[in-house]
Amino acid sequence: MPQITYVLPDGREETVDVPVGQSVMDGSVRNNLPGIVAECGGGCSCATCHVFVDDAAVGLFDEPMTEEADLVEFLEGACDRSRLSCQLIVSEACAGVRVVVPATNG
Amino acid sequence: MNHTAQRVVVVGAGTAGGTFAGLLRQAGYDGDVVMLGAEPDPPYHRPPLSKKFADPAADASRWLREAAFYDEQRITLALTESAVDLDPVARVVRTDRGRELRYDVVVLATGARPRPLIAPGAHLDAVLTVRTLSDANRLRDEVAAGRTMAVVGGGFVGLEVAAVARSRGLPVTVVEREERLLARVASPPLARVLAEHHGRRGTVVRTGVEVVAVEGARGRAQRLLLSDNTHVAADVVVVGVGAQPCDELGRRAGLVCAAGGGVVVDDAARTSMDGVLAIGDVTVRPRLGGDPMRMESIPSATEQAKQAVATICGAPPPAPEVPWFWSDQFDLKLKIAGILAPPYDTALRGDPRAGSFALLHHRDGTPVAIETANANADFMAGRRLLASGHLVDAERWADPAVPLRELAFA
């Protein structure tokens, strides 16, 4: 099962197993990691699961849909590595991916 | 209150309670956490109950947290067990199982219950409300049976149910006693667009009429009698006329409550009594830019859950947030932020007929609320404007040639 590393808002790093087909958000919520709030449960509605994806990993996930891109653009601290983690579906190729969780997720 | 609390009892296992318990562990709280839930189910996501109840695929993402979560986080989940008595001096909660739970901090997260329809025949079978998972399951079965539906109350929940039922091909009539839909919670232009949107899809929208009686046969609803002496056929009636806070426990314990219902809290989730916090739909809470009020929304419950965690852990409360919520009506994803209170002027951006638009409501250029449909960027931009309080130029907002970034980051 791919392991994903979350760099938490306080700088700590947590590495957890995330089953293929689940989202980076799911992995965080299931392990009760701080920083990803996920109010809408993964519906690309609330924008409270913002993460920064490492440059090397950007291509491992599907391109953002307009719905996601429009939310992300106006988030605090957004940059070109910003994604909503509910839209980042984990595949085998994602093993070892690192995401940074900002402290601004609502 | 301080971080040395040894046992936190959470009364209520809804969104507010479930979110709070998870955040408390995230913050490093190490003592006992006991959560009492009246229903047989662990905390679940409530929005799908009215938005996706007919969709079996929604089942998979139903739970707020997976079953293993509560054990892993050492949260004792006591389901089908309700608090019946709270003694804030002895710091004891008594339950309907006859248990006495001593606590250092108790968090009331008892939520709200649907306001009942007051009319003869309201007790008939197939007169339903939508609040719990079992309500939604019942509704799913009724819709699968292809009933003729009447929705009493043109608020967001009632309209969501109407949209789902209509999408499944049921004949649907919405009955609203005010002169327009969403009279208390949305602007007239948004209400107009929604009424047209529902109407074009075949929903009959009746405003300015009241339900006089539910008429039925063999114990089951068959039709509504309205105040203009007309009838509406309906063998399933969904009542969505608002909710009332479940504040009885707090009230009996002597907590300060609002006249209209609701436990009064501050911006650190504290009630009038030491050691008693309250979060979510049961509270009357302070808010940015207006009088205290009850706010039935997930963002509000999450914000208060964070406040309660901060209070217990001895941290300062988080910065206040702009209130917001979302609703789905057919293919329209609505997002609304701020609180509408007249007087205000409105600037429209986008085109309601094209299915994507944003209404910015302002008072002399100061933003007070934003209502959007299928316009995420506009919503986010509007929320930024509300948070900053920056003046807006209504003409620039209405001009699609002006980039949103220029408006939001002015």
Side-chain angles (χ1 to χ4, degrees), chain A residues 12 22 26 28-41 43-48 66-68 70-77 105-106, chain B residues 21-23 25-26 45 61 64-66 69 72-73 298-300 302-303 306 321 324 326 333 335 376-381 383-384 404-405 408-409:
Chain A
R12 276 187 305 131
Q22 290 200 2
D26 289 325
S28 175
V29 168
R30 217 183 49 250
N31 292 282
N32 204 31
L33 304 182
I36 290 179
V37 180
E39 287 179 333
C40 75
C44 199
S45 284
C46 68
T48 61
T66 313
E67 200 174 22
E68 178 190 349
D70 283 351
L71 286 173
V72 165
E73 187 185 354
F74 291 89
L75 285 173
E76 193 88 23
N105 275 325
Chain B
L23 290 174
R25 286 293 186 226
Q26 284 181 19
H45 286 290
S61 53
L64 199 62
R65 298 288 184 265
E66 287 175 41
F69 172 86
E72 285 169 9
Q73 298 294 322
I298 289 170
S300 173
T302 308
E303 186 185 11
K306 287 184 205 153
E321 293 168 17
W324 77 277
W326 74 91
K333 287 190 176 298
K335 293 184 187 180
N376 272 343
D378 300 64
F379 174 74
M380 298 296 281
R383 239 170 100 183
R384 286 195 85 95
L404 275 173
R405 294 196 71 84
F409 295 96

Side-chain angles (χ1 to χ4, degrees), chain B residues 103-320:
Chain B
Y103 68 80
D104 298 286
V105 178
V106 65
V107 179
L108 302 184
T110 46
R113 66 174 66 88
R115 206 168 274 137
L117 174 65
I118 309 291
H123 65 280
L124 288 171
D125 202 19
V127 179
L128 313 174
T129 54
V130 195
R131 187 78 193 178
T132 66
L133 195 49
S134 75
D135 293 341
N137 289 340
R138 172 79 195 272
L139 199 52
R140 180 194 60 206
D141 294 345
E142 297 290 353
V143 168
R147 306 285 183 190
T148 297
M149 179 183 286
V151 174
V152 183
F156 281 114
V157 170
L159 290 174
E160 286 171 0
V161 171
V164 172
R166 188 69 206 118
S167 299
R168 299 270 154 170
L170 271 64
V172 179
T173 304
V174 175
V175 179
E176 165 59 52
R177 72 175 177 189
E178 302 290 335
E179 291 301 325
R180 66 170 175 95
L181 299 178
L182 301 160
R184 288 172 302 109
V185 288
S187 70
L190 181 67
R192 213 156 41 232
V193 170
L194 284 181
E196 286 167 10
H197 203 72
H198 280 258
R200 269 200 304 277
R201 281 155 185 77
T203 305
V204 178
V205 178
R206 303 278 314 270
T207 57
V209 278
E210 274 190 81
V211 175
V212 173
V214 184
E215 299 174 347
R218 294 177 301 281
R220 189 174 169 114
Q222 280 189 324
R223 58 182 193 167
L224 302 179
L225 171 61
L226 303 184
S227 52
D228 62 355
N229 241 340
T230 60
H231 283 94
V232 170
D235 51 11
V236 57
V237 179
V238 178
V239 178
V241 294
Q244 51 203 27
C246 302
D247 62 3
E248 295 81 2
L249 189 69
R251 214 169 260 280
R252 280 201 309 273
L255 301 181
V256 170
C257 291
V263 175
V264 175
V265 294
D266 66 10
D267 61 8
R270 290 177 298 215
T271 68
S272 59
M273 287 195 181
D274 203 27
V276 185
L277 305 179
I279 59 177
D281 288 3
V282 73
T283 66
V284 169
R285 53 161 297 179
R287 64 179 173 91
L288 272 181
D291 295 332
M293 65 181 289
R294 242 162 42 73
M295 283 200 277
E296 294 176 32
S297 78
I298 289 170
S300 173
T302 308
E303 186 185 11
Q304 290 184 299
K306 287 184 205 153
Q307 294 171 355
V309 168
T311 297
I312 290 168
C313 296

